[in-house]
Amino acid sequence: MFEKSSNISREHNSKYSFLNYADKKVKLNTMKKVEVVAAILMHNDEVLCAQRAESKLEYISKKFEFPGGKIEAGETYKEALQRELQEELNIKPEINDLYLTVVHQYPDFELTMHSFLCPMPNKEITLNEHISHVWLKKENFLELDWAAADLPIVHKMMQDE
């Protein structure tokens, strides 16, 4: 597709847009945006840290994260999180208020992640998508290799009393 307006034109392809200023192309960021929810699952003084499966995206492959996933059309944040936790871990925890929203720019998409504190009555989970998990006290979080988007949550939790 090609739109033209006076001496400035806009050229589109699947990933980027370019502005043509008299034959000089300037790339515009039209990167994909993804909005997700994440659960900070807590049992006593420990938090569930889940390890992602191997991925072609090296920057998230086998990294640790707070479990959750994409928000589907028509879902509230809490409904999406409840569905994702049932699918990923076979659990239905209480979901408290929003803890922190993180906007992180990965190499090929922008992620907005809304995290929620979720108390757990026990540590019983079933891993349906993750390859491993560990329950850690927050002072031990930095022992793990976290996905970059989860790090602001990790650091905030470590600072909070």
Side-chain angles (χ1 to χ4, degrees):
M1 182 185 335
F2 193 73
E3 300 169 16
K4 191 162 185 161
S5 170
S6 65
N7 65 345
I8 301 172
S9 61
R10 187 179 300 260
E11 187 178 330
H12 301 278
N13 69 23
S14 62
K15 192 171 181 183
Y16 300 104
S17 291
F18 299 90
L19 284 182
N20 282 330
Y21 289 96
D23 297 329
K24 180 181 177 188
K25 287 187 177 184
V26 179
K27 184 166 76 170
L28 300 177
N29 186 356
T30 57
M31 205 168 282
K32 180 178 173 182
K33 295 185 180 202
V34 178
E35 189 171 21
V36 300
V37 287
I40 303 163
L41 297 163
M42 303 172 303
H43 179 69
N44 297 331
D45 61 346
E46 294 182 317
V47 177
L48 178 71
C49 309
Q51 189 176 22
R52 296 178 60 92
E54 189 168 348
S55 168
K56 65 180 179 178
L57 303 176
E58 185 178 319
Y59 51 86
I60 58 173
S61 183
K62 295 187 176 180
K63 302 284 187 179
F64 279 84
E65 68 175 2
F66 298 104
K70 291 182 183 172
I71 303 163
E72 293 182 359
E75 285 183 321
T76 66
Y77 296 157
K78 288 185 178 185
E79 289 169 344
L81 190 54
Q82 196 75 279
R83 176 186 49 75
E84 286 287 343
L85 294 174
Q86 180 64 44
E87 291 172 5
E88 291 183 4
L89 303 171
N90 290 345
I91 59 172
K92 291 184 179 182
E94 175 185 344
I95 299 174
N96 288 343
D97 291 335
L98 181 68
Y99 180 71
L100 182 66
T101 293
V102 175
V103 177
H104 182 78
Q105 187 69 57
Y106 279 113
D108 57 348
F109 67 97
E110 179 184 282
L111 180 76
T112 300
M113 179 168 49
H114 309 283
S115 64
F116 294 82
L117 295 173
C118 303
M120 294 277 292
N122 56 54
K123 294 182 180 181
E124 295 174 18
I125 62 166
T126 302
L127 295 180
N128 294 322
E129 295 183 18
H130 294 88
I131 59 174
S132 73
H133 76 284
V134 62
W135 289 88
L136 286 180
K137 295 181 184 209
K138 60 185 179 178
E139 57 265 22
N140 298 324
F141 280 172
L142 296 182
E143 295 173 5
L144 302 178
D145 185 15
W146 288 92
D150 290 74
L151 283 172
I153 300 166
V154 166
H155 292 297
K156 180 174 174 21
M157 290 195 69
M158 291 177 73
Q159 291 171 353
D160 289 352
E161 290 299 317

